Amino acid sequence: MEENNSNIMRLRRLGIETHTEKIIFMRADSPVCRSEGFTANTRVSVNYGSQSIIATLNVITSELIEHGEAVLSEEAFNKLGATEGDLITVTHIQPILSFSEVRAKMFGKKFNESAIQRIISDVTKGLYSKIEIAAFVTVCSGDNLALDEVIYLTKAMINSGSTLEWDEPMIIDKHCVGGLPGNRTTPIIVPIIAAAGLIIPKTSSRAITSPAGTADAIETMTPVNLSLEQIKDVVRQEGGCMTWGGAVKLSPVDDVIISVEKALDVDSAGQMIASVLSKKAAAGSTHVVIDIPVGETAKVRSKEEAFLLEYYLRAVGLSIGVGVEVMITDGTQPVGRGIGPALEAMDVLSVLRNEPDAPTDLKDRAVQLAGLMLEVAGAAPKGRGTDRALGILESGQALDKFYRICEAQGGFREPVPAAIQHDVLAMTSGVVQAIDNRKLAKVGKLAGAPKSAGAGIHFKAPIGKYVKQGEPLFTIYAASQGELSYALNFLHSSTQIVQLAAL
Amino acid sequence: MEENNSNIMRLRRLGIETHTEKIIFMRADSPVCRSEGFTANTRVSVNYGSQSIIATLNVITSELIEHGEAVLSEEAFNKLGATEGDLITVTHIQPILSFSEVRAKMFGKKFNESAIQRIISDVTKGLYSKIEIAAFVTVCSGDNLALDEVIYLTKAMINSGSTLEWDEPMIIDKHCVGGLPGNRTTPIIVPIIAAAGLIIPKTSSRAITSPAGTADAIETMTPVNLSLEQIKDVVRQEGGCMTWGGAVKLSPVDDVIISVEKALDVDSAGQMIASVLSKKAAAGSTHVVIDIPVGETAKVRSKEEAFLLEYYLRAVGLSIGVGVEVMITDGTQPVGRGIGPALEAMDVLSVLRNEPDAPTDLKDRAVQLAGLMLEVAGAAPKGRGTDRALGILESGQALDKFYRICEAQGGFREPVPAAIQHDVLAMTSGVVQAIDNRKLAKVGKLAGAPKSAGAGIHFKAPIGKYVKQGEPLFTIYAASQGELSYALNFLHSSTQIVQLAAL
């Protein structure tokens, strides 16, 4: 199509934030809307020099903007690299051919390698609208992806971004398949492994459906938004790092997909495997230990499910050249006492500092995982890894290494819990029988976690504990009264989270 | 939660059109954003008197609006019934509990009756975001709904809106399972049936994935946005009507779902059956004849698929008390010559006017369907319906009734084709072997149909016709050069739409 002069418009900035959505505002009576037939919600191509993005059109029927002007949302300004006063053109978008593969999948056709590559490439380029991504997430959800589809997806996600290369022959990493509140072993394991002289360039994700991701928790203690160059410097200096994967372009498409999964509060086995292993492969890892907590209200509910996941992880790992070891752990209750970024970080610090009241479950789990990693890396004989990890932790070497990594990442700070607190009390006396982790996570999220880093839950009633009537089961932390009320409303309208049985 | 005075804001109107999306714009530094933790893209409840809607938040970081002001998109103003200067409050939304059923369906759980009722009720209330509706549409797509789920969905959709009641014991209706360009039999059948003295309160839909829906085509000849009261008046007076179903509240949730299906360019058998039969039941129909065109590039591709669909339609009809008869027809090529609202309407008029060059395929199909309807209604003996229908058409009674119905609906006008025309020529001579209906429909859509009522295609090369090199296969009609170029770009990048074989 010939470029048309009437398509040229001058940008105006009105400071409109729309999260990751790219919006363009134009007058309904503008020549481009009239000649091209654009109306509200049309997806259009916005072109600035050699850059172009796809944006959703909102039309203005008032005199808010002048003739010849167009307004972009802040996200669109940033993506284009344009500023107020710059000239843009607005044109039709090409049909997104790869979406026909998503449509075919809805009708039961399997993805082939080329289909997934084209879809992931188009999502990476920002061509998919949110609802198109929602449809893709949905067709990949549950057990709708077969092993070969997961392998294609993993490879496509590795190819969607940058990769890290290392001189060392062995790069070790770990990952936890979430779903268990408070299970924040990473900032304990990384310093243990690095103190043992191994290389562990750990990048973590932010929360998908939980009240805190590992990156959210670590961010309350040290900066996590490091570039690839900064990560290399930190790892070269200290042997390990603890950063946010989304800040670098390792499998960048993952974050786009995750933002939709988050809005739908859903994630799927196939996508999770591809997400995890693509990030590990892109980070240059050669060996990965994966923690799968199993429990009725954890993400993985049964041992059978965990075994199947282990099979998928190993098989996909094999096909992309990453050695995978799995540790199946107890997922029946929260690990540690904090749920939410700052509250979890406080647990981590008390373990690293060998405080007498540090949560032993968190400590035990971190040391076991670190032990397996040491064994996998040949840094401890079979069966002796846990002992070696415990030695490094209890000698203070791990704490020392933790502070050094934090300093290298930009400095250490103490995490700060939210100001407003509310105790949830036991209505009767009894022994804790079971805990609904999903509902507990939901209360933490409604209280504001992870957006409010200090918000969340301090949990006080582990399974087997005898609790007296009127004693606190847990404390809710919130940054605003509105969020506290919201969490309490859910609590009152919902069935018991902590089940007690009379003695 | 206590209502908080800092939540009260004064509305300002800036004329921002966002189609069906409801948006609220507030300052990032407003007390409500800060105290409630609202950020860009938060879904919030906007309350005005006893009315409330859910809207998506865009935050403003400039001085575009004053402290204490909030701006709504036009759709949000309309839904709330508020005007500039009115006071609103903004609060957290309750979690949408029914969405957990959609999530469970992703993981393979079947919907039960209560789950579907709650989902449809929440979608009807506007609680679902677009991406949540996209996930619902996707889990219902393909053959993912079993018969009982389709029955639940149909009943839930009937209950979601108004219903029409009639004094007559027999109300007859028809429907075509789309996918075949130009198959516009409704405005021919309705006057034939009404002229025969039967009652046919026909409501039609607008295009989902096609270049024109029946309502779009009829609208180029007469108003179709009639209220329930107006429909009753027209039918009382003339025995039949031809209106847009979306203008009345018969199964209103259908239009919300369809707008997402349209953006995804997908529809599913289960949802289609529920959509069709819920509208028929809500309109008070006792008997429905359903036309299923079958062809490789039609919506239904094989006879087997059509037989299965017939089974579903009959079984669901039985469970909701509507008698269903199916006619399986030829879907290998377009019916009539026009594709697009006005161009299809012109075909309809030439049949009704008994013009010598009227498209015989359209005429034959309309008369056969009308004939079956007359037989079903007992207005013609078995095997004599077609003859009676033909008699009513050729005598001019149908045309007379058509004009009377149009007059009752607000007046008749001639449809007007778009101004810009472009002939697509045969590159070689040969006999037409096959036609790709999907691609043909796509060209019509890219040319602007149905949004531009005059845009579309005039088709000139039916299967079996001998076409000489350089003769036109079809003519593209467009309202703007941009849209014409867009259609031509697709044409050039795509494989042949009309396949010719040398003699």
Side-chain angles (χ1 to χ4, degrees):
Chain A
M1 198 162 71
E2 296 282 305
E3 208 163 295
N4 184 329
N5 280 342
S6 73
N7 282 2
I8 298 183
M9 314 195 82
R10 187 174 299 278
L11 285 181
R12 205 171 134 196
R13 195 157 197 157
L14 292 178
I16 297 174
E17 304 259 4
T18 55
H19 196 54
T20 57
E21 200 95 50
K22 294 180 282 292
I23 308 279
I24 182 165
F25 299 83
M26 298 195 290
R27 289 176 70 112
D29 58 4
S30 59
V32 56
C33 282
R34 284 185 293 130
S35 69
E36 301 286 345
F38 294 151
T39 57
N41 259 26
T42 305
R43 302 263 297 159
V44 296
S45 175
V46 180
N47 317 296
Y48 167 65
S50 62
Q51 297 291 311
S52 87
I53 56 167
I54 295 190
T56 300
L57 173 62
N58 286 359
V59 306
I60 308 277
T61 54
S62 70
E63 299 295 315
L64 177 64
I65 58 177
E66 306 280 318
H67 288 281
E69 283 185 341
V71 174
L72 296 180
S73 63
E74 292 301 296
E75 172 78 4
F77 264 112
N78 297 337
K79 276 275 147 87
L80 265 187
T83 54
E84 183 153 28
D86 285 343
L87 298 180
I88 54 159
T89 61
V90 176
T91 49
H92 281 285
I93 57 166
Q94 297 300 315
I96 302 164
L97 296 177
S98 68
F99 193 75
S100 64
E101 302 287 350
V102 178
R103 227 175 274 125
K105 177 80 180 167
M106 291 183 204
F107 287 81
K109 199 187 151 213
K110 271 181 73 174
F111 287 128
N112 63 25
E113 184 153 15
S114 135
I116 290 207
Q117 271 171 0
R118 286 179 290 121
I119 291 167
I120 292 299
S121 160
D122 285 349
V123 174
T124 307
K125 286 184 205 143
L127 302 185
Y128 274 47
S129 68
K130 289 258 152 149
I131 67 164
E132 284 161 341
I133 295 173
F136 175 64
V137 163
T138 304
V139 297
C140 293
S141 66
D143 56 359
N144 292 316
L145 293 187
L147 179 60
D148 53 350
E149 294 175 301
V150 179
I151 291 173
Y152 304 148
L153 182 60
T154 309
K155 289 181 175 172
M157 286 170 78
I158 296 171
N159 295 334
S160 78
S162 321
T163 51
L164 271 171
E165 315 245 320
W166 303 94
D167 297 331
E168 291 77 5
M170 175 170 288
I171 303 294
I172 191 144
D173 207 340
K174 59 86 55 179
H175 183 81
C176 174
V177 173
L180 196 57
N183 190 17
R184 217 46 70 202
T185 55
T186 290
I188 303 170
I189 291 172
V190 168
I192 292 177
I193 300 298
L198 297 168
I199 307 297
I200 178 164
K202 180 88 187 81
T203 62
S204 303
S205 56
R206 297 191 184 274
I208 303 181
T209 61
S210 73
T214 298
D216 300 314
I218 296 171
E219 197 172 35
T220 67
M221 302 182 285
T222 189
V224 296
N225 288 5
L226 272 64
S227 69
L228 281 184
E229 273 319 302
Q230 291 173 315
I231 287 178
K232 281 193 167 172
D233 286 345
V234 173
V235 173
R236 213 172 283 133
Q237 193 182 315
E238 300 298 341
C241 70
M242 313 171 295
T243 70
W244 175 44
V248 292
K249 300 252 174 223
L250 301 173
S251 192
V253 69
D254 197 37
D255 298 298
V256 178
I257 293 172
I258 281 178
S259 83
V260 171
E261 289 187 333
K262 199 168 168 175
L264 295 176
D265 199 8
V266 69
D267 46 12
S268 77
Q271 215 144 39
M272 188 266 284
I273 291 162
S275 164
V276 170
L277 292 182
S278 67
K279 284 216 157 80
K280 301 307 175 198
S285 303
T286 57
H287 294 78
V288 185
V289 168
I290 293 176
D291 175 14
I292 306 182
V294 176
E296 249 185 57
T297 56
K299 188 174 288 175
V300 177
R301 302 190 192 200
S302 70
K303 284 247 166 97
E304 288 76 3
E305 214 182 306
F307 296 158
L308 183 64
L309 202 52
E310 176 168 358
Y311 154 66
Y312 268 78
L313 285 162
R314 283 171 166 279
V316 175
L318 199 63
S319 79
I320 60 166
V322 175
V324 174
E325 284 290 334
V326 167
M327 184 179 270
I328 296 177
T329 58
D330 175 17
T332 53
Q333 62 178 329
V335 178
R337 294 175 297 233
I339 299 168
L343 294 161
E344 294 177 23
M346 290 161 71
D347 281 349
V348 164
L349 287 172
S350 77
V351 170
L352 283 169
R353 286 168 177 160
N354 294 298
E355 287 172 0
D357 62 344
T360 50
D361 55 348
L362 178 62
K363 177 177 173 177
D364 290 349
R365 190 165 301 206
V367 163
Q368 281 159 20
L369 282 162
L372 179 57
M373 292 166 77
L374 292 173
E375 291 174 18
V376 165
K382 277 259 172 238
R384 302 302 309 273
T386 304
D387 268 3
R388 170 130 204 246
L390 195 63
I392 294 172
L393 177 66
E394 294 190 336
S395 67
Q397 285 172 271
L399 180 63
D400 182 53
K401 180 55 92 176
F402 178 82
Y403 285 138
R404 292 175 63 105
I405 294 172
C406 289
E407 281 312 315
Q409 292 193 185
F412 169 78
R413 58 179 172 253
E414 289 288 338
V416 183
I420 302 170
Q421 287 147 39
H422 178 95
D423 283 336
V424 175
L425 308 179
M427 305 298 283
T428 57
S429 301
V431 175
V432 178
Q433 296 291 304
I435 295 154
D436 190 323
N437 288 320
R438 284 160 200 269
K439 286 198 179 142
L440 202 58
K442 185 134 201 169
V443 173
K445 277 157 52 179
L446 293 176
K451 236 187 277 173
S452 304
I457 285 169
H458 193 259
F459 192 73
K460 297 171 175 170
I463 288 175
K465 179 174 171 178
Y466 176 75
V467 184
K468 271 202 213 139
Q469 184 181 352
E471 275 185 355
L473 297 170
F474 53 89
T475 306
I476 302 175
Y477 286 70
S480 77
Q481 280 296 344
E483 286 168 318
L484 177 61
S485 312
Y486 199 39
L488 291 175
N489 280 346
F490 174 74
L491 214 57
H492 295 323
S493 70
S494 141
T495 53
Q496 272 193 324
I497 290 182
V498 177
Q499 263 183 53
L500 299 173
L503 267 189
Chain B
M1 198 163 71
E2 293 285 302
E3 209 162 295
N4 183 329
N5 280 343
S6 73
N7 282 2
I8 298 182
M9 314 194 83
R10 187 175 300 277
L11 285 180
R12 207 173 132 194
R13 195 157 198 158
L14 292 177
I16 297 174
E17 303 261 3
T18 55
H19 195 56
T20 57
E21 199 94 51
K22 295 180 281 288
I23 308 279
I24 182 166
F25 299 82
M26 298 195 290
R27 289 177 70 112
D29 59 3
S30 60
V32 56
C33 282
R34 284 184 295 129
S35 69
E36 301 286 346
F38 295 152
T39 56
N41 258 27
T42 305
R43 304 261 299 159
V44 296
S45 175
V46 180
N47 317 297
Y48 168 65
S50 63
Q51 296 293 308
S52 87
I53 56 167
I54 295 189
T56 300
L57 174 62
N58 286 359
V59 306
I60 308 278
T61 54
S62 70
E63 299 296 316
L64 177 64
I65 58 176
E66 307 278 319
H67 288 280
E69 283 186 342
V71 173
L72 296 180
S73 62
E74 292 300 296
E75 172 78 5
F77 264 111
N78 297 339
K79 277 275 147 91
L80 265 187
T83 53
E84 185 154 26
D86 285 342
L87 297 180
I88 55 158
T89 61
V90 176
T91 49
H92 280 286
I93 57 166
Q94 297 301 314
I96 302 163
L97 296 177
S98 69
F99 193 75
S100 65
E101 301 288 350
V102 178
R103 227 176 275 125
K105 176 81 181 169
M106 292 185 206
F107 288 80
K109 200 186 149 210
K110 273 182 72 172
F111 287 128
N112 62 28
E113 184 153 17
S114 135
I116 290 206
Q117 270 171 0
R118 284 180 292 121
I119 291 167
I120 292 299
S121 159
D122 285 349
V123 174
T124 307
K125 285 184 207 144
L127 301 186
Y128 274 47
S129 69
K130 289 258 150 146
I131 68 166
E132 285 162 340
I133 296 172
F136 175 66
V137 163
T138 304
V139 297
C140 294
S141 66
D143 56 359
N144 292 316
L145 292 186
L147 177 61
D148 52 350
E149 294 174 301
V150 179
I151 291 172
Y152 303 149
L153 182 59
T154 309
K155 288 182 176 172
M157 286 171 77
I158 296 171
N159 294 335
S160 77
S162 321
T163 49
L164 272 170
E165 316 245 321
W166 303 95
D167 296 331
E168 292 78 4
M170 176 169 292
I171 304 294
I172 191 145
D173 206 340
K174 59 88 54 180
H175 183 81
C176 174
V177 173
L180 197 57
N183 191 18
R184 217 47 69 203
T185 54
T186 290
I188 303 170
I189 291 172
V190 168
I192 293 176
I193 300 297
L198 297 168
I199 306 296
I200 178 164
K202 179 86 187 84
T203 63
S204 301
S205 55
R206 296 191 183 274
I208 303 179
T209 61
S210 74
T214 298
D216 300 313
I218 296 170
E219 197 172 35
T220 67
M221 302 182 284
T222 189
V224 296
N225 289 4
L226 271 64
S227 69
L228 281 183
E229 272 319 302
Q230 291 171 313
I231 287 178
K232 281 194 165 169
D233 285 345
V234 173
V235 173
R236 211 171 287 131
Q237 194 182 315
E238 300 299 339
C241 70
M242 312 172 295
T243 71
W244 174 44
V248 292
K249 300 249 177 232
L250 301 173
S251 191
V253 70
D254 197 37
D255 297 298
V256 178
I257 293 172
I258 281 178
S259 83
V260 171
E261 288 186 336
K262 197 167 170 177
L264 294 176
D265 198 8
V266 68
D267 45 10
S268 77
Q271 216 146 37
M272 187 265 286
I273 292 162
S275 164
V276 170
L277 292 183
S278 67
K279 284 215 156 77
K280 301 306 175 199
S285 302
T286 57
H287 294 78
V288 185
V289 168
I290 294 178
D291 175 14
I292 306 182
V294 175
E296 251 186 54
T297 56
K299 187 172 289 176
V300 176
R301 302 188 190 201
S302 69
K303 285 246 167 100
E304 289 76 4
E305 215 182 305
F307 295 158
L308 183 64
L309 202 53
E310 176 168 358
Y311 155 66
Y312 268 78
L313 284 163
R314 283 171 167 280
V316 175
L318 198 64
S319 79
I320 59 166
V322 175
V324 175
E325 284 289 334
V326 167
M327 184 179 273
I328 296 177
T329 58
D330 175 17
T332 54
Q333 61 178 330
V335 178
R337 293 174 298 232
I339 298 168
L343 294 161
E344 294 177 22
M346 290 160 71
D347 281 348
V348 164
L349 287 172
S350 76
V351 170
L352 284 168
R353 285 167 178 160
N354 293 301
E355 287 171 2
D357 62 345
T360 50
D361 55 349
L362 177 64
K363 177 178 174 177
D364 289 349
R365 191 166 299 208
V367 164
Q368 280 159 21
L369 282 162
L372 179 57
M373 292 166 76
L374 292 173
E375 291 175 18
V376 164
K382 278 260 173 237
R384 302 303 310 272
T386 304
D387 269 3
R388 171 132 202 243
L390 196 63
I392 295 172
L393 177 66
E394 294 190 335
S395 68
Q397 285 172 270
L399 180 64
D400 182 54
K401 180 54 90 176
F402 177 82
Y403 285 137
R404 293 175 63 105
I405 293 172
C406 289
E407 282 312 316
Q409 292 194 184
F412 169 77
R413 58 179 171 252
E414 289 288 338
V416 183
I420 302 171
Q421 287 148 37
H422 177 96
D423 283 337
V424 175
L425 308 179
M427 305 298 284
T428 56
S429 300
V431 175
V432 177
Q433 295 291 304
I435 295 155
D436 190 324
N437 288 320
R438 282 159 202 270
K439 288 199 178 139
L440 201 58
K442 185 133 199 168
V443 172
K445 276 157 53 177
L446 294 176
K451 235 188 276 173
S452 303
I457 286 169
H458 193 258
F459 192 74
K460 296 170 176 170
I463 289 175
K465 178 175 172 178
Y466 176 75
V467 184
K468 269 201 216 143
Q469 185 181 350
E471 276 185 356
L473 297 169
F474 52 90
T475 305
I476 303 175
Y477 286 70
S480 78
Q481 281 295 344
E483 286 168 320
L484 177 60
S485 312
Y486 199 40
L488 291 176
N489 280 346
F490 174 75
L491 214 58
H492 296 323
S493 71
S494 141
T495 52
Q496 274 193 323
I497 290 182
V498 177
Q499 263 184 53
L500 299 174
L503 268 189

